Amino acid sequence: MITGKNYIGSQLKAAGTITLKTFNPLLNTENPWVFTEATEEEIEEAVALASQAFVRYKKCSGLEKAAFLNAIAEEILVLGDELLVQYCSESGFPKGRAEGERGRMIGQLRSFAEMLIEGSWVQATIDTAVPERQPAPKEDLRKMLVPLGPVVVFGSSNFPFAFSTAGGDTASALAAGCPVIVKSHSMHIGTGELVASAIIKAAQKTNMPEGVFSNLAGGGRTLGASLVKHPLVKAVGFTGSISGGRALCDLAALRPEPIPVFAEMGSVNPVVLLPDALKENSQKWANAYAGSITLGAGQFCTNPGLLLAVKGAALNEFAEELTTAIENTQPSCMLHASMQADFESGILKREAQKGVSKVAQFKGEVPPNHGRATILKVSGEEFLKNKVLSQEVFGPFSILVECDNETELLQIINTLEGQLTGTIIGAENELQYHQDIIFALQNRVGRLIFNGVPTGVEVCASMLHGGPYPASSDSRFTAVGTHAVYRWVRPLSYQNWPDDLLPAELQNENPLEILRTIDHKLTLSKI
């Protein structure tokens, strides 16, 4: 087990005074490994190294950075079953989930490497000079994207691989040319340490600068706050709760030099169930949503926590079939005893609200730290009166809202906060009669789904994993897919610059053979 702070090329100079342990929720006991919390000196060292590394790393070519990312993927695979066992011991997830998420982490790294090799992502834009233009000459202007600087990434609790140490935030920031400092999540420090060791080996093998990556452990909020407030840090990536993300946004905004925080936060992911679809396939959709609600013990940021429909016979049939499916779904282990306790208290709080009743709940014996899937029901009128009912419950939970009519359903959609996803379940022929509902939902979400489930986030360029606040802190960006790189860059324009001193992406000969916009035309041509 690795117990250092994983600085590239440097050793842990002194043990921290605070020790940390992780928890095995499946066994309901602490894991045996002991970790040390990062000291203020180690935080300062990590940030200073990252700032120094940026001077060289930002100049690395796309091919060099791609080799680094591919090497990270290879070194992670070398860890083999040791990494999978560590993951399972700190998350309660089964080996199959560990293997699947590791595959996603590897896929993300390789997709960013492919993006770097192709090279057009920098959005090179050239407007050539027109010296004879009257009344004033037109200057030669060339623009491209350049990295911001050192980035702090907060590991998430629910994805120890895909949204943590070598997850999408880290992969995209490294692809952009930004050194990364990871604040490892306290629930899976050991998993983070192992992945960090792979990143360090990859950096050494590909001759990356010392400090291009660091991994720090901490149990409370002190470490994270220190990193966000540090003047050498230039951006932050976060996946977690609304309260945590908002706190980081506020800290960053209060700095003498404010910096962007790209936070992916809470979402109840509303699902609109149109009547014709329920009449035709109520059992199909009941089974699909029972599976989506309980997938991974409901610990997905895209978990469908809100089901909206107009009351009637079709909805009653759907509710009965959903009840049967939920009651027959065996509970899964949650990430931590504290999360299971919060889940239970969240259900009790909502169940105590006026007009709320229980539709379904698993009735068998439930082992410690397992989430008992639950569906509650409320009228549209009571839902509109009570903001508590529109807040996320993290776990296998959803609330079914029975609306009197479509006007009430539309009113509910218009009062919702920003969401990661919104789903329409409907027959194709009824979509044209519900355009107002579709447009209202579109204004509230980052991803609009038709006849599917929101769980399952494809890693590709067209994926948008974000949404209006509080789903994310900036709805213009995604946390998943190759376009996630655009969070960590800024545009830089060169005016009348000598060709041989320009970055290769902007030179006349187009030595990288990338797509560029030249005088308003997208082309591979030279100038």
Side-chain angles (χ1 to χ4, degrees):
M1 178 54 58
I2 297 159
T3 56
K5 293 297 177 287
N6 299 121
Y7 297 157
I8 293 174
S10 66
Q11 300 297 317
L12 178 62
K13 294 180 173 58
T17 56
I18 301 175
T19 58
L20 306 167
K21 281 191 171 185
T22 57
F23 183 78
N24 187 322
L26 195 59
L27 300 180
N28 198 32
T29 185
E30 280 190 332
N31 286 310
W33 314 290
V34 179
F35 307 94
T36 55
E37 187 168 63
T39 64
E40 286 296 328
E41 292 77 15
E42 290 166 344
I43 295 169
E44 190 63 39
E45 179 184 15
V47 178
L49 283 171
S51 183
Q52 294 164 19
F54 181 57
V55 176
R56 187 181 133 205
Y57 188 57
K58 68 181 178 181
K59 299 175 185 177
C60 287
S61 69
L63 292 178
E64 290 172 320
K65 290 183 290 182
F68 178 29
L69 294 181
N70 280 327
I72 294 172
E74 291 160 8
E75 291 298 329
I76 289 171
L77 291 174
V78 168
L79 292 171
D81 283 351
E82 179 187 5
L83 179 60
L84 300 179
V85 169
Q86 186 71 33
Y87 171 106
C88 295
S89 71
E90 293 183 323
S91 68
F93 289 136
K95 185 179 180 182
R97 160 68 187 261
E99 291 173 329
E101 193 182 331
R102 181 181 63 179
R104 174 172 166 170
M105 174 173 57
I106 297 299
Q108 288 176 152
L109 290 161
R110 296 205 188 284
S111 67
F112 281 109
E114 291 173 3
M115 179 197 78
L116 290 167
I117 291 168
E118 192 280 328
S120 299
W121 72 276
V122 297
Q123 298 180 355
T125 305
I126 300 173
D127 287 285
T128 55
V130 184
E132 67 276 10
R133 190 184 69 174
Q134 295 297 327
K138 178 186 175 186
E139 309 289 353
D140 184 276
L141 285 163
R142 307 186 181 208
K143 183 179 71 174
M144 64 178 287
L145 299 174
V146 297
L148 292 175
V151 168
V152 169
V153 169
F154 286 75
S156 73
S157 63
N158 58 336
F159 282 90
F161 286 158
F163 279 90
S164 292
T165 314
D169 287 349
T170 296
S172 58
L174 291 175
C178 299
V180 172
I181 304 160
V182 169
K183 192 276 184 188
S184 188
H185 198 281
S186 59
M187 289 185 187
H188 42 79
I189 300 172
T191 303
E193 293 276 8
L194 281 173
V195 174
S197 73
I199 299 175
I200 291 166
K201 288 178 182 177
Q204 292 168 341
K205 286 184 176 181
T206 55
N207 197 31
M208 290 295 113
E210 181 182 23
V212 73
F213 174 83
S214 293
N215 181 57
L216 301 172
R221 296 190 173 186
T222 302
L223 170 58
S226 297
L227 288 169
V228 173
K229 292 189 292 185
H230 200 289
L232 296 180
V233 170
K234 300 303 179 185
V236 174
F238 172 84
T239 300
S241 67
I242 294 174
S243 60
R246 183 53 191 259
L248 297 180
C249 289
D250 291 344
L251 280 175
L254 291 172
R255 289 173 33 140
E257 177 201 359
I259 58 172
V261 174
F262 298 103
E264 188 258 282
M265 300 178 284
S267 185
V268 295
N269 306 294
V271 179
V272 176
L273 303 159
L274 296 179
D276 286 355
L278 293 187
K279 289 177 186 176
E280 294 173 7
N281 290 300
S282 62
Q283 186 172 23
K284 169 189 171 182
W285 292 120
N287 290 335
Y289 271 87
S292 182
I293 291 164
T294 58
L295 183 66
Q299 298 166 124
F300 284 76
C301 44
T302 52
N303 190 62
L306 182 61
L307 307 175
L308 304 170
V310 175
K311 61 186 179 181
L315 180 58
N316 292 340
E317 185 176 353
F318 170 82
E320 289 175 6
E321 289 164 345
L322 180 63
T323 296
T324 300
I326 288 291
E327 291 179 350
N328 289 332
T329 302
Q330 289 293 322
S332 298
C333 187
M334 299 191 73
L335 287 158
H336 197 276
S338 62
M339 283 196 169
Q340 196 274 339
D342 289 342
F343 170 66
E344 294 287 350
S345 64
I347 292 173
L348 290 174
K349 180 178 180 180
R350 283 148 187 80
E351 199 172 354
Q353 304 300 307
K354 182 181 178 182
V356 174
S357 60
K358 187 183 297 180
V359 172
Q361 188 173 65
F362 180 79
K363 296 178 180 178
E365 292 294 321
V366 179
N369 307 319
H370 284 55
R372 189 189 297 272
T374 303
I375 309 293
L376 301 181
K377 180 175 70 173
V378 70
S379 70
E381 180 183 6
E382 291 299 333
F383 184 88
L384 284 166
K385 293 177 183 178
N386 194 336
K387 286 293 183 183
V388 169
L389 300 178
S390 63
Q391 296 169 0
E392 181 183 23
V393 175
F394 193 65
F397 168 85
S398 193
I399 185 165
L400 177 63
V401 181
E402 291 188 323
C403 303
D404 283 336
N405 48 51
E406 290 183 11
T407 300
E408 188 173 72
L409 191 154
L410 185 62
Q411 186 180 0
I412 289 172
I413 294 172
N414 285 327
T415 59
L416 291 176
E417 295 181 322
Q419 307 291 331
L420 292 171
T421 74
T423 303
I424 300 283
I425 302 298
E428 286 193 31
N429 61 355
E430 64 183 331
L431 289 184
Q432 60 182 312
Y433 304 114
H434 297 90
Q435 291 297 303
D436 51 352
I437 289 175
I438 294 170
F439 290 140
L441 197 58
Q442 176 182 303
N443 289 334
R444 288 288 180 267
V445 307
R447 177 162 54 108
L448 194 60
I449 301 160
F450 175 61
N451 281 356
V453 296
T455 42
V457 180
E458 185 69 30
V459 180
C460 63
S462 53
M463 173 55 65
L464 194 290
H465 190 65
Y469 183 87
S472 65
S473 55
D474 193 327
S475 62
R476 298 170 297 173
F477 297 94
T478 180
V480 173
T482 49
H483 286 189
V485 73
Y486 296 118
R487 296 173 295 170
W488 319 117
V489 292
R490 65 180 178 88
L492 176 64
S493 188
Y494 295 83
Q495 182 170 328
N496 292 336
W497 212 250
D499 186 70
D500 60 341
L501 296 180
L502 284 166
E505 291 88 345
L506 297 176
Q507 290 176 5
N508 288 341
E509 290 296 307
N510 192 15
L512 302 181
E513 299 181 339
I514 62 173
L515 275 172
R516 307 186 296 181
T517 300
I518 301 177
D519 293 329
H520 313 294
K521 294 181 180 179
L522 192 62
T523 177
L524 289 167
S525 300
K526 303 175 184 180
I527 296 176

